[in-house]
Structure formats: C-alpha cells, structure tokens
Amino acid sequence: MISELDLEDIQGNIVKAYGRYGFPLARFVFYRVEDAEKGRLFVQRVTPLVTTSAPWSKKLKVDIPAVAINIAFTYEGLKSLDVPTDTLHGFPDEFTMGMKARRAILGDTGPNHYKHWDSIWNHPDDPTAQSVHILIGINGKSDKALDACYQEICGILEQTGGVTQLKGHRGPNGAEDLEFQPANALAGGTEHFGYADGISSPYFEGCGEDPRYIVGGGKPTGQDPASPKGWEPLAAGEFVFGHPDEAGGFPEAPGPPLFSRNGTYLVYRKLHENVGSFNALIEEEGKKFGSKEWFAAKLSGRWRNGAPLVSFPTEEGANRFAAELGMLKGKVHNKTATEAETQRYRELQLKLTAFDYTNDNDGARCPFGSHTRRNNPRSALEFGVKGAFKTPGALSNRRRILRRGLPYGKVEDATRNDGDHGIVMMILNVDLSRQFEFVQEQWINYGNDFKLANDRDPLVGNHGSDENGRGAGRMVIEGDTNKPPYFCSGIPTLVETRGGDYFFVPSMTCLRMIARGLVDPT
Amino acid sequence: MANQSGNAYALTALFPILHGVPTKCPEGMEGQTHTACVRHLLQDVLRVSEDSPMARVPDTYLSRFCILLDVPYQGAPTVLEHLKSNYLVFEVNFHGTLEPWLAGMWKAIEPEVRSLLQNCYGFDKVTDCASFIDYVKKCQIETTFFFEGSTDEPVAVQLKNLYLKQEFSHFVFANQGKSAAELKAAFEEFVARTQPDNLEAPTWRPGAYQLETATVGRKVMGAGTQ
C-alpha cells in the first residue's frame, strides 16, 4: 500500500483527466531530433513548463493553470537524445518496435494500415520506420492560452535548433500538412457518434484525485457496487513505474531505477470515426431492433447521454436521469445550487459509474459484446459465479488502462464518412503488452473471453468485409423474457486508425536526467 | 486411471533414435545422422499443420511429434546428466482405446510411420500391424495430462457439431425476423443442406485449424492481413 505518490515528480496527464478540470482544447505537437546535444537543450528548456500531477485545489491554494503541458518520447526519440544503450536495452520489444510494427496485434490492418495514416507517421525515407521522436501535448482552457504556450515552445525551438517540428497531420477541408494535431471537446462532452465520453477512469493508490472516483473507478471487492465498500483503489504500479502493481511486484522497467520511477507509457492513436456508416447502421438496425437510441445504447453499453444500460434499462429512465444530472451540473458549476441540490448531484454523478454486471448475468440489459462491458468488464468475467476467483476482478485488474482522449475535427456531413474527425486517443499504462495491447487484441478484436467466439467490439473493432464489400462485423444482443435476442450482422468498421505510436512519459527527475545527459545505467 | 479419461486416451511414447548415420536416408540428407533425418522428415517432408498425415488417422483429437535431445541441466549443485540417446517423442490424444486406435494409425499412414520410425531402435522388428502395436506399447510411458480443448465425443461427431454450430449461426443472421412460414421453409432447407445426422458430409475437414479452410465453399474474408 502506498499512501502517497510523489505527485510533483509525476507528469500531470497521468493522474489528471484534463477534461474534468475544464480544458476543452488541445494541440499535439511532434518533433524529430536531428542533433542530440541541441535536442537535449530543447528538452531542458521545455522541462520547466511541464505540468505535474500535484493537486490543483482551492484548499491547497493551487489554482488550475490556463494550460497543461506534457512531454513524451518514442524509442527512437530516446535513442536520438543519446540515452545510453544499456538503458535502451531495458525497454520491452513492443516499445522498441513501435506501433506500426505491432499492427497484427493491434488490428491495424486493412483500412487501419499505416499506409492510410497521416503522413507525419511515415518516415520520408522508410515508411516502416519510426518517424516521430517527441510528443508535446498542450491542453488549454482557451485558444488564446493554447496559442501563447505553443508560440513559447516554438520560440524555444528556434533558439536551440537541432530539432525539427514535424508537419503532416490531416485537417479540415482536405488539408494534409497541419503543423500540429488540434483537438477540441464537443458540446455536451460527446464524441462524434454522439456518445457522452470520458465517464469512467481507473482510480489508483496515491493518485491524489477525489476519493469519490474510487467508486466504479477502482477494482471491485465483491460488495455492493453502489457503495464505496464495493471498490478499492488499484495498485499504483499498474500505471506508474517504481511502485508495486496488482501482482505485488514491481513492473519491469529500464534501469537505472531513477530513470523509470514515476514514469509510464503513453499510447497515442488518432482514430477516425466513420460517422456516415454509424448513422446508417443505427438507423437501419434500429428500425428492425425496435428503437434507434436503444440499439445505439446496446452497441455501447451506455445510452448516448451516458446513462449505463445496467442501471437504466429504458430510454425514458435514462433521459430523465440525464436531464436532472445536466440541470444540477449547471447549477453546481454556476454556484447556484442549494446544499440539497449539490448532494443530489453527487448522488446522480455516482450512478454513472457505481455499477457492475452482477444482476445482468444473462446480458439482458447490457450485452456481453457491448463496447463498455468488453473494455471494462469490472467483475463480469466471473460470469455470475460468486467467488470464482480470489477476487472478483482477478481477470480484469491487470488489464486496466487510463484513457486521456479528446475529439478532433468537425463533422460537416453526418451522412458521410470522409472528412477529418474522430478522437485523439491517449492511453497510459506501465505494460503496453499486458494492458493496452491485450485489451486491443483480445477484448476489442476478439470475443472469446466473453464467450462470443470471434465477434469484435461493435464500435471500435476492425470488422473487415465480406466478398461483396459489406461489413463483416456481428453482434448478438441478448434478449430477455419479453424480447428475443437480436442478431446484428453486416457491421462495418466504424473507427479507423489514422496514426499513432508508443511513447515513454518520463518523471520530472528523468526528464532532467535526459536533458543533462546524466542517465547512467552502470 | 492414467492414460484414460472418459472416452479420451492420452498416449505418450518415447522412441529412442538410432545413433550414427543411416545407410539409406532422405534425398539431400546424405551423411546426416538419424536424428537429423527425423527432424528433416518432421519439418519438411511429412507436411505439418492441415496436411499432416495425422489428420488422416481416425478419431485423433490432437497429436505432436518432437525430438528430445537431452535432459536440461539445472546448474550446480545438481548433477549434469545425459540421455543415452535422442528420443522421438510422440504425444497424442484420441477417442477410444489404445490398440484399435494404433491399428487405425497403421492402416491409414503406414508408409509415413515407417519412414519416421525406421530411424529408431527396435523398429526393425516391426513387420505388421500387431508388431507395431507391441512396439509402441514397449515405448509408452504413463500419461496423466490431457489436452483440454475437446469434448468426450468421437472426432467425427465433434467436427459435425462445429460445422453445424457455424452454419446455424449463419442461418440465424440470415433469417432473423422472417414470418413463421418463411422461417419453417428456410429451416427445412437448412436441415436438408446441412444433414445434421450425416457425420460424413457436409462437415469440417479433420486437421483444419482455421475457420477459413475448415469448410469448402464458404469463404470468410478477414480484416486484412497486411
């Protein structure tokens, strides 16, 4: 057990979902290091700007800043900055190989293949090589603050030289060569399919976040999921190096210990959303199923307004819940809520995450194959056998991932797939293979763990197509006593990869060591 | 009971491989040892995976051949030990009992069995099916660890079950929402086509390990393999 992490040493995006702090905008900027010494100077100058995980709270008199900055490096990036070979050899294969080389595991085939990615990801001399070295993410409250920060970093780059800012992001109106990837929250906190996003996030020991988020965010204890007794914080070592993980050991990390301690891995993925295909699917299948919104909810496991299907099986109930939650949220944010209203708001907010699938073992409310039940099964892999394992989350506690994403682009025509819109997905974990890649390979692009043969995640799976070019995705929507099961076929691939890579997110100490060339693995 | 679990039988046999160089060896393997010839046969001649000769042996759930070169050394203070010869390890799980299954193996793939085991001590005494069975039994060791991914049914029944399960799921997706009369007609067509009581055909091909190649005539496109 850790009571506290050294939050001042841990980069801010690891514990903070910036969206929760009112940062709707972001720019993701990528660089290639041409000269190691100048590159280290660039890192050295940027380091003081980097946002840490130290809590922002009125109680501690720490204001929320106007921007939050984080920095991360690919394997080739660390190499280009002269991180010693012995340290580099300590990285696991999946990190040294990079995202493109892991495409068979990730399902980045067919339309997801890197030949369809934004040009920034494809090295001009060798498309298979890792092109990007450094990622700087800037999250901001306003475009003005964002731009000021971006200009400051551009200024540093101009002074130090030796580092090239990489262009080549696709953008609106057919743009191919944006100098950074912009991202922006959509009205109502949804993504482009209209689902409320970023609702639940793993809660781990010592993270310093509001303990209320343990409910539904921690690991299940087997007790009432609606109460704090039903959850415990996950071990910090699942998300931050240098601390015990859920297996009771320390996650493997490159040496020296100071290099990896308080760091983690970041998965950056630009995911295009085929909005036209999605809308056509819910329109057509919704008619046959009985209701468009209900069908959309069955794909996800949540209604598009965020209400979980398990707790809100009817559209009417879900809408009533969402309307009240929205109204109270407004009052609480505008500081016009009474104490009773604030209390009620907290209660309702909890309902978004305070559930498990104990009372839905036949999938009648939330299908086994739905997106949220697959990606965060909670205790559902016990399949209703209480005490099947030592702990109800035995098969899922080691597969948790932190998600830090934001939508990008704007949908111009909701009947079409083209254009540039989707989600910049960022995932943080200490073991790319055991956590992110496992979820992607086994839970998104396969179905065996859910007794669903080779069915894939209906929303984000790579479904392929049949000989007539029709989507080959399938999903069983379990029935109940009043409704027969519904078998949905012909699901097209709704989300396509447009770029990405694996990054190492160093601690503040490690950043300074890299910048000064002080990493000494001997 | 060792070796038998329900209707499943697990056989493990260790065939000692002859020392030295064979007088008659596969083409291209002149001057190579018996062990090298066995490995060559396993890797290059007796086609692996779907075209394995073992797929032709009736009632076989799963089989593996490998070569045991020596026992591992655990380091000091354990003693460094060696085997007297290399062994061809044969592991197989099948439906039924040992002697009839071995007789089925001899009948189905005698030439392949001969080509492999002629590199092993004592096989020169094997002249027919009965002496082959005796020979395997002499080399058999007790087995208590079974292959899990199988039911207790004969292989033909299991293959038909898998085939029917797959076909029925296609039927469900194709016919959902139809009227009772349409559904009845479609189901009659399904039964006539799939012949649930006929274990011979249509069914899955023994030895197939990929859905795409299990049945002829239904091609499932993957998500791309690039």
Side-chain angles (χ1 to χ4, degrees):
Chain A
M1 282 288 279
I2 313 167
S3 56
E4 231 168 80
L5 293 174
D6 184 0
L7 295 172
E8 284 76 7
D9 196 40
I10 298 172
Q11 289 205 45
N13 52 347
I14 300 177
V15 314
K16 293 183 169 85
Y18 290 133
R20 282 185 181 166
Y21 293 91
F23 289 74
L25 303 169
R27 289 181 187 184
F28 301 102
V29 199
F30 298 88
Y31 305 89
R32 185 155 51 225
V33 178
E34 315 290 352
D35 177 295
E37 202 178 330
K38 288 175 179 170
R40 290 199 298 273
L41 186 62
F42 174 70
V43 175
Q44 193 181 333
R45 297 269 173 88
V46 171
T47 297
L49 305 177
V50 171
T51 307
T52 74
S53 288
W56 296 327
S57 79
K58 281 193 188 122
K59 219 187 274 174
L60 298 171
K61 297 193 175 153
V62 183
D63 287 338
I64 300 177
V67 288
I69 299 160
N70 294 103
I71 185 166
F73 305 87
T74 60
Y75 177 77
E76 288 298 329
L78 293 169
K79 206 167 147 185
S80 72
L81 291 165
D82 284 349
V83 168
T85 309
D86 271 8
T87 296
L88 294 173
H89 283 175
F91 281 108
D93 286 350
E94 58 275 13
F95 180 68
T96 59
M97 290 166 78
M99 190 178 280
K100 279 189 275 192
R102 304 291 283 180
R103 61 190 177 277
I105 285 169
L106 299 177
D108 284 341
T109 55
N112 293 351
H113 191 270
Y114 63 78
K115 66 187 174 196
H116 305 298
W117 289 9
D118 289 7
S119 64
I120 183 170
W121 301 103
N122 292 326
H123 195 284
D125 304 328
D126 174 9
T128 63
Q130 196 160 49
S131 170
V132 164
H133 288 169
I134 302 177
L135 155 65
I136 293 183
I138 314 169
N139 290 68
K141 288 180 170 174
S142 70
D143 208 42
K144 196 177 158 199
L146 208 57
D147 195 58
C149 176
Y150 173 68
Q151 294 304 339
E152 186 177 357
I153 295 169
C154 289
I156 293 172
L157 186 64
E158 215 164 283
Q159 287 166 15
T160 64
V163 173
T164 307
Q165 184 178 335
L166 298 173
K167 294 178 181 180
H169 302 274
R170 291 197 189 103
N173 307 319
E176 292 279 344
D177 216 17
L178 299 190
E179 60 189 48
F180 53 79
Q181 175 63 55
N184 56 284
L186 304 179
T190 69
E191 45 66 61
H192 292 291
F193 294 155
Y195 292 99
D197 200 15
I199 295 172
S200 82
S201 184
Y203 189 99
F204 58 92
E205 282 173 358
C207 68
E209 290 292 277
D210 191 332
R212 286 186 299 122
Y213 293 127
I214 294 174
V215 179
K219 56 184 174 184
T221 63
Q223 298 197 50
D224 180 11
S227 87
K229 280 187 188 160
W231 306 88
E232 283 172 353
L234 287 149
E238 293 294 314
F239 307 104
V240 189
F241 284 122
H243 307 282
D245 61 20
E246 280 294 325
F250 287 85
E252 275 189 46
L258 209 50
F259 179 84
S260 50
R261 185 184 160 82
N262 291 333
T264 194
Y265 293 115
L266 181 150
V267 179
Y268 178 99
R269 274 168 91 74
K270 181 174 178 178
L271 300 174
H272 177 76
E273 295 185 85
N274 287 326
V275 172
S277 291
F278 174 79
N279 285 330
L281 180 75
I282 60 168
E283 200 63 54
E284 285 161 28
E285 293 294 325
K287 262 185 224 151
K288 290 186 260 172
F289 181 68
S291 151
K292 180 170 115 178
E293 277 307 319
W294 196 16
F295 178 76
K298 292 283 189 180
L299 295 179
S300 157
R302 289 182 185 274
W303 296 88
R304 288 204 282 183
N305 61 30
L309 264 176
V310 160
S311 314
F312 299 95
T314 68
E315 186 176 358
E316 192 200 348
N319 285 345
R320 211 175 325 122
F321 162 77
E324 188 182 358
L325 183 69
M327 183 268 291
L328 292 170
K329 185 180 180 181
K331 283 191 171 185
V332 169
H333 280 230
N334 297 333
K335 301 188 173 67
T336 56
T338 64
E339 204 171 303
E341 283 173 328
T342 305
Q343 179 65 22
R344 174 73 178 153
Y345 172 61
R346 301 272 181 244
E347 276 171 34
L348 290 184
Q349 214 186 15
L350 210 60
K351 284 184 189 290
L352 286 170
T353 53
F355 65 89
D356 65 12
Y357 301 101
T358 306
N359 297 320
D360 191 34
N361 283 317
D362 46 10
R365 288 187 173 193
C366 179
F368 290 110
S370 66
H371 172 70
T372 51
R373 192 163 178 162
R374 277 170 173 268
N375 286 270
N376 182 12
R378 298 158 189 256
S379 56
L381 294 176
E382 284 195 319
F383 285 98
V385 183
K386 202 87 177 155
F389 313 115
K390 265 188 180 171
T391 169
L395 298 186
S396 51
N397 292 345
R398 302 265 280 158
R399 317 289 187 193
R400 302 294 299 277
I401 49 177
L402 298 167
R403 295 171 307 141
R404 306 277 183 258
L406 261 186
Y408 69 88
K410 193 177 159 199
V411 176
E412 301 289 349
D413 181 347
T415 67
R416 296 173 64 101
N417 286 336
D418 55 2
D420 188 68
H421 47 258
I423 291 183
V424 171
M425 192 67 200
M426 285 186 294
I427 286 152
L428 296 140
N429 58 218
V430 296
D431 193 324
L432 292 164
S433 166
R434 167 166 59 76
Q435 292 168 282
F436 166 68
E437 289 187 344
F438 180 91
V439 171
Q440 185 73 24
E441 183 183 33
Q442 298 294 326
W443 289 355
I444 289 178
N445 283 318
Y446 199 39
N448 203 42
D449 280 6
F450 312 102
K451 305 185 180 179
L452 295 172
N454 50 0
D455 285 1
R456 299 172 186 227
D457 183 319
L459 287 177
V460 300
N462 180 358
H463 297 299
S465 52
D466 65 15
E467 53 268 9
N468 303 317
R470 184 171 176 255
R474 307 195 311 190
M475 183 190 183
V476 178
I477 298 176
E478 288 80 5
D480 59 26
T481 45
N482 300 315
K483 192 172 168 61
Y486 185 76
F487 301 91
C488 179
S489 60
I491 303 176
T493 298
L494 299 172
V495 170
E496 294 173 0
T497 318
R498 289 290 159 83
D501 219 327
Y502 293 155
F503 293 83
F504 175 67
V505 186
S507 68
M508 299 305 292
T509 302
C510 178
L511 263 181
R512 289 187 284 267
M513 287 162 66
I514 292 172
R516 299 280 306 279
L518 291 178
V519 179
D520 182 1
T522 56
Chain B
M1 193 175 78
N3 300 332
Q4 189 93 39
S5 168
N7 285 315
Y9 192 99
L11 164 69
T12 306
L14 300 179
F15 304 112
I17 299 174
L18 292 161
H19 290 273
V21 176
T23 47
K24 218 179 115 192
C25 56
E27 199 186 334
M29 292 298 286
E30 291 78 12
Q32 295 290 302
T33 61
H34 283 284
T35 298
C37 290
V38 169
R39 194 179 301 287
H40 170 69
L41 285 165
L42 291 178
Q43 290 181 334
D44 301 327
V45 182
L46 305 172
R47 298 279 297 279
V48 289
S49 65
E50 304 209 358
D51 298 316
S52 163
M54 291 306 294
R56 303 203 299 272
V57 180
D59 275 328
T60 309
Y61 291 151
L62 173 115
S63 80
R64 287 283 183 278
F65 284 99
C66 63
I67 297 171
L68 182 62
L69 292 175
D70 214 337
V71 285
Y73 173 52
Q74 305 282 346
T78 59
V79 180
L80 178 62
E81 292 178 300
H82 294 293
L83 296 174
K84 285 182 182 163
S85 68
N86 298 330
Y87 286 87
L88 172 61
V89 181
F90 178 41
E91 288 180 277
V92 59
N93 279 202
F94 55 82
H95 179 91
T97 52
L98 183 61
E99 293 187 13
W101 183 83
L102 283 172
M105 179 177 176
W106 185 256
K107 193 177 165 202
I109 58 165
E110 183 193 331
E112 287 87 350
V113 170
R114 282 187 180 280
S115 69
L116 261 183
L117 294 185
Q118 67 181 356
N119 292 291
C120 298
Y121 280 103
F123 188 74
D124 51 346
K125 306 283 189 307
V126 172
T127 53
D128 55 12
C129 181
S131 52
F132 167 65
I133 293 172
D134 285 345
Y135 177 67
V136 175
K137 284 166 86 172
K138 273 186 196 142
C139 297
Q140 182 180 10
I141 58 170
E142 188 181 287
T143 309
T144 52
F145 202 59
F146 282 71
F147 169 55
E148 260 296 343
S150 177
T151 68
D152 212 28
E153 305 285 347
V155 173
V157 173
Q158 292 194 42
L159 290 170
K160 186 78 188 191
N161 287 348
L162 288 167
Y163 164 78
L164 280 176
K165 196 174 166 184
Q166 185 194 15
E167 287 298 317
F168 187 69
S169 76
H170 288 301
F171 172 84
V172 168
F173 280 103
N175 294 287
Q176 182 172 219
K178 288 188 176 166
S179 70
E182 285 173 318
L183 206 54
K184 184 163 182 287
F187 189 67
E188 280 167 357
E189 186 279 324
F190 170 79
V191 171
R193 181 171 57 80
T194 58
Q195 303 176 50
D197 294 328
N198 182 353
L199 295 181
E200 298 292 320
T203 187
W204 271 17
R205 204 156 63 86
Y209 68 101
Q210 280 184 325
L211 202 56
E212 284 85 344
T213 53
T215 45
V216 181
R218 179 182 291 284
K219 187 161 167 56
V220 180
M221 304 283 278
T225 49
Q226 275 183 306

